[in-house]
Amino acid sequence: MCGIVGYVGDKQALEVVLDGLRRLEYRGYDSAGVSVLDGSGLQVERKAGKLANLEELVSGRAMPGTLGIGHTRWATHGPPTDANAHPHVDCAGAVAVVHNGTIENYEVLVAGLEQRGHQRRSETDTEVVAHLLEERYADGPTQGDLPASLRSICKDLEGSFVLVVSHRDEPDLVVAARRNLPLVIGLGDGENFVGSDVTAFIAHTREARAVEQDQVVEVRRAGVTVTDLEGTVVDGDSYHVDWDTDAAEKGGYEFFMLKEIEEQPAAVRETLGGRLDADGLLHLDELAMSDEDVRGIEQVFIVACGSAYHSGLIGKYAIERWCRLPVQVEMASEFRYRDPVVGRNTLVIAVSQSGETADTLEAVRHARSQRAWVLAVTNTVGSTISRESDAALYTRGGPEVAVASTKAVMTQITAMYLVGLYLAQLRGTRDPDEVRAHMADLSTIPDLLTELLGRMEPVRELARSLKDEERVLFLGRHVGYPMALEGALKLKELAYVSAEGFPAGEIKHGPIALIEQGTPVVVIAPRHALQAKLINNVQEVRARGARTIVITTDGDASVLPYADDVISIPDTKSLLTPLLTIVPLQVLSAEIARARGLDVDQPRNLAKSVTVE
Ligand code: F6R
């Protein structure tokens, strides 16, 4: 969580930093702050609430200077107040620090600092770093050396952190350090950047370099030096970011989420692109396993959180069906604590849009410690999960800014099908013609999505009629069940409506008691082998007073007598239906949130990249 930017160059730093923070605001948005170094010292401004509050505070205020750092916060230690907003400074106001993460031993460090006469002005763990820097820069072996001071402090810190620091006596230096959380360097011409991700500087440069574990970066106008904690310079490769800058802008949409929903046909096309050879066989060289190792896989685990977990559930249906391999899908936050039976012949697939989710990362580390082969399925090139896994399959969804995941989930599901088909092809559980046929079906999805997105107005109208509901249930069977979970999660997080998803066959074992006269129940019932059973479930809930909202397939009249509202999707193979049924669920929740006057992109209490456990 938290977004961080650091800049040194020849532009006005305030503008560069605020622009970066705007793009990073999805990472946390309960307070924000900036610090700019001018001839007379550090100017620091901080404000509780969204970035707009900070922008209002600094608008029209002179904050000249070409070196700056900034932060947008998701509170961990101390509530989101002005005083707890970053940057934090030392007693003399000479050092400014922004921080993402948690310093677990901060209480011990605070006690020592207070004994030595430092005055704390916030309740945060971050502030200790400013005071420690004050001491180490003033005195001792690291005196007058800001990078060395930070390196020495990092050795004393426990926990996870990205720290970005500037000092009033260092007009050409921003220093940053990283442990467990993401930090990327932006390499410009006469200017350089650090940021939580590449969107922080993508408007200025597309050359990036990832910072590795326990490294410290010295960012100057003329160049960047990376060292380990002992001060030894470490080389590293830069990479080119080919994301379209427009993709990180709203482009006329009221919310990013609405734009990202519309981008899904193109996103799926990207995920599928270039995967077939001239013979129509699937290539997924990213898996980086030998054919022999693929044939040796005995079980698969899929680990993920939230919506990515729902994508993983679809992966289970696909891999089990096509590969006849046992697949377990685990919430990453639970995986490593229950000592799962994972070994050399286990493939672990970690699904994560950001590639930074702390729970998923820890699951990856645990799986690797058990000698499993770990494949990351992620949207973010250079992310920690991709780097710590044995191999990475990129979903190529482009930047997703809205906190609620849409095109990322869509591309994750698509990637799950690709992995399933590829394993089936290599293991010989599906013959090449069948793989080709499934790929041909998948390749029709982008056009079907475009068509479906073109007829969402009735869904929006339906959503507006649901705006005052406080409880909605979602039912599905087979691959419709994970989509019921996804529909419920989206509604909860965006509209703050109490929503639950169930396997439709389960409701008679308890949840049916929730149904009262008029309770909306969304049933995901496209044309499918189990549709007859779903129709029974629709009748059961309707008989108890539910308002039934049924997602069905174009031209399918079987469910109409039992549906109060119908949402129709184009026909496709039953296993692929999640790629279509998910769309009206996204639109429904976004529109209910909008009708309730909520911020669709930045729901309360959330952040996009969940880098705390
Ligand atoms: C819900 C949502 C979250 C994420 C989850 C995992 O709309 O976006 O549930 O899916 O936090 O995030 P990643 O995929 O970045 O690991």
Side-chain angles (χ1 to χ4, degrees):
M1 337 282 244
C2 301
I4 290 192
V5 193
Y7 172 72
V8 51
D10 57 6
K11 298 186 180 121
Q12 285 304 304
L14 181 65
E15 279 162 39
V16 176
V17 170
L18 284 177
D19 183 55
L21 291 181
R22 254 172 243 129
R23 295 168 199 272
L24 291 176
E25 200 184 7
Y26 70 86
R27 299 179 67 88
Y29 35 82
D30 58 35
S31 54
V34 287
S35 161
V36 173
L37 181 61
D38 68 11
S40 60
L42 293 172
Q43 281 203 61
V44 179
E45 295 295 350
R46 306 176 297 170
K47 196 72 195 153
K50 295 205 168 158
L51 182 63
N53 295 2
L54 176 73
E55 289 177 305
E56 198 185 316
L57 179 75
V58 299
S59 84
R61 187 169 296 192
M63 283 181 81
T66 55
L67 181 154
I69 63 177
H71 187 265
T72 175
R73 180 169 187 241
W74 188 85
T76 53
H77 291 78
T81 58
D82 290 356
N84 288 332
H86 303 210
H88 291 282
V89 294
D90 63 326
C91 299
V95 184
V97 178
V98 293
H99 167 218
N100 173 23
T102 39
I103 294 167
E104 286 162 9
N105 58 336
Y106 85 102
E107 279 169 339
V108 182
L109 297 169
V110 164
L113 285 164
E114 283 178 349
Q115 270 175 6
R116 298 193 295 275
H118 291 269
Q119 301 263 311
R120 259 181 104 204
R121 300 192 198 95
S122 76
E123 298 156 86
T124 66
D125 50 346
T126 307
E127 196 188 330
V128 298
V129 177
H131 294 288
L132 289 171
L133 276 168
E134 177 184 1
E135 291 183 340
R136 304 222 182 154
Y137 189 78
D139 218 355
T142 60
Q143 187 182 19
D145 186 338
L146 193 60
S149 302
L150 186 59
R151 281 193 290 267
S152 112
I153 289 166
C154 288
K155 291 184 191 162
D156 295 341
L157 300 180
E158 290 168 16
S160 305
F161 51 82
V162 166
L163 294 160
V164 179
V165 172
S166 64
H167 193 290
R168 74 172 170 214
D169 297 339
E170 301 281 359
D172 185 35
L173 181 61
V174 168
V175 190
R178 156 181 198 263
R179 178 177 299 159
N180 292 336
L181 294 171
L183 178 65
V184 194
I185 304 168
L187 300 162
D189 185 7
E191 58 180 359
N192 289 297
F193 309 76
V194 278
S196 301
D197 70 38
V198 295
T199 58
F201 48 73
I202 195 173
H204 305 279
T205 178
R206 287 166 172 281
E207 291 310 308
R209 173 176 166 185
V211 182
E212 304 290 340
Q213 187 74 339
D214 279 328
Q215 291 184 343
V216 170
V217 192
E218 299 164 32
V219 186
R220 297 186 176 81
R221 287 177 181 83
V224 169
T225 308
V226 181
T227 68
D228 62 17
L229 291 189
E230 304 309 322
T232 307
V233 174
V234 213
D235 293 332
D237 293 331
S238 63
Y239 58 92
H240 186 74
V241 182
D242 53 12
W243 278 356
D244 179 359
T245 23
D246 292 350
E249 307 285 349
K250 271 192 206 155
Y253 287 84
E254 187 183 351
F255 292 105
F256 278 107
M257 181 177 173
L258 306 182
K259 172 170 167 270
E260 287 160 7
I261 288 173
E262 297 293 328
E263 285 170 349
Q264 293 182 109
V268 172
R269 214 168 263 127
E270 281 295 314
T271 313
L272 293 173
R275 303 287 190 196
L276 292 178
D277 66 15
D279 298 331
L281 285 179
L282 189 53
H283 276 288
L284 225 55
D285 301 336
E286 294 98 321
L287 190 57
M289 283 177 100
S290 69
D291 293 5
E292 196 189 335
D293 283 341
V294 169
R295 281 190 280 274
I297 298 170
E298 286 167 7
Q299 61 167 351
V300 178
F301 275 90
I302 303 178
V303 290
C305 301
S307 292
Y309 168 80
H310 302 151
S311 308
L313 288 172
I314 302 296
K316 174 182 171 77
Y317 287 95
I319 296 170
E320 287 188 342
R321 163 86 66 90
W322 289 329
C323 312
R324 308 310 304 151
L325 266 172
V327 181
Q328 297 190 55
V329 191
E330 291 262 350
M331 290 181 183
S333 54
E334 291 294 320
F335 178 71
R336 74 191 163 121
Y337 295 113
R338 66 168 188 78
D339 201 9
V341 184
V342 174
R344 221 179 129 46
N345 294 333
T346 307
L347 171 65
V348 174
I349 305 175
V351 187
S352 173
Q353 186 285 130
S354 59
E356 302 294 346
T357 300
D359 288 316
T360 312
L361 176 60
E362 289 304 331
V364 165
R365 288 177 177 162
H366 182 76
R368 290 201 72 198
S369 74
Q370 306 292 301
R371 299 167 66 229
W373 187 266
V374 181
L375 171 69
V377 173
T378 177
N379 194 30
T380 313
V381 176
S383 57
T384 311
I385 290 176
S386 66
R387 283 183 288 124
E388 292 209 14
S389 297
D390 293 292
L393 173 64
Y394 291 107
T395 51
R396 307 177 186 162
E400 190 178 67
V401 178
V403 163
S405 192
T406 53
K407 63 175 177 168
V409 179
M410 179 73 85
T411 53
Q412 285 164 355
I413 297 173
T414 308
M416 291 290 101
Y417 293 127
L418 290 177
V419 172
L421 286 174
Y422 186 62
L423 294 179
Q425 181 181 290
L426 287 190
R427 291 168 66 88
T429 47
R430 298 287 146 174
D431 66 43
D433 283 345
E434 187 177 341
V435 173
R436 276 185 206 109
H438 289 307
M439 284 302 290
D441 290 333
L442 270 172
S443 68
T444 65
I445 295 291
D447 287 344
L448 297 180
L449 279 171
T450 304
E451 189 202 327
L452 179 60
L453 285 162
R455 44 164 144 137
M456 281 294 108
E457 194 42 43
V459 178
R460 283 188 275 271
E461 211 174 299
L462 168 65
R464 292 190 281 272
S465 78
L466 294 168
K467 91 173 197 345
D468 296 320
E469 297 293 344
E470 288 307 328
R471 185 168 62 212
V472 179
L473 305 183
F474 292 77
L475 307 181
R477 279 180 183 262
H478 195 258
V479 287
Y481 165 51
M483 291 302 98
L485 295 177
E486 175 64 7
L489 176 61
K490 283 284 171 291
L491 194 55
K492 276 185 269 215
E493 70 175 325
L494 289 171
Y496 319 147
V497 170
S498 182
E500 284 193 75
F502 298 105
E506 267 298 297
I507 49 160
K508 54 190 174 295
H509 300 290
I512 200 163
L514 289 169
I515 292 174
E516 295 172 344
Q517 195 57 40
T519 305
V521 179
V522 179
V523 188
I524 297 149
R527 188 179 289 131
H528 194 281
L530 295 175
Q531 199 194 34
K533 290 190 193 301
L534 269 162
I535 291 175
N536 284 343
N537 303 133
V538 176
Q539 286 177 276
E540 284 159 13
V541 295
R542 202 163 191 246
R544 286 158 180 86
R547 171 180 174 185
T548 54
I549 300 159
V550 184
I551 300 180
T552 186
T553 309
D554 289 346
D556 178 7
S558 55
V559 81
L560 299 185
Y562 317 104
D564 295 303
D565 302 278
V566 176
I567 300 170
S568 189
I569 59 162
D571 201 4
T572 187
K573 291 281 165 19
S574 62
L575 197 58
L576 305 188
T577 53
L579 293 171
L580 301 177
T581 55
I582 197 172
V583 171
L585 298 173
Q586 296 166 341
V587 171
L588 205 61
S589 53
E591 191 62 22
I592 293 175
R594 202 161 159 252
R596 287 164 83 106
L598 300 172
D599 185 338
V600 172
D601 284 339
Q602 296 180 343
R604 69 184 177 204
N605 304 336
L606 292 172
K608 186 146 187 79
S609 188
V610 186
T611 51
V612 290
E613 274 191 74

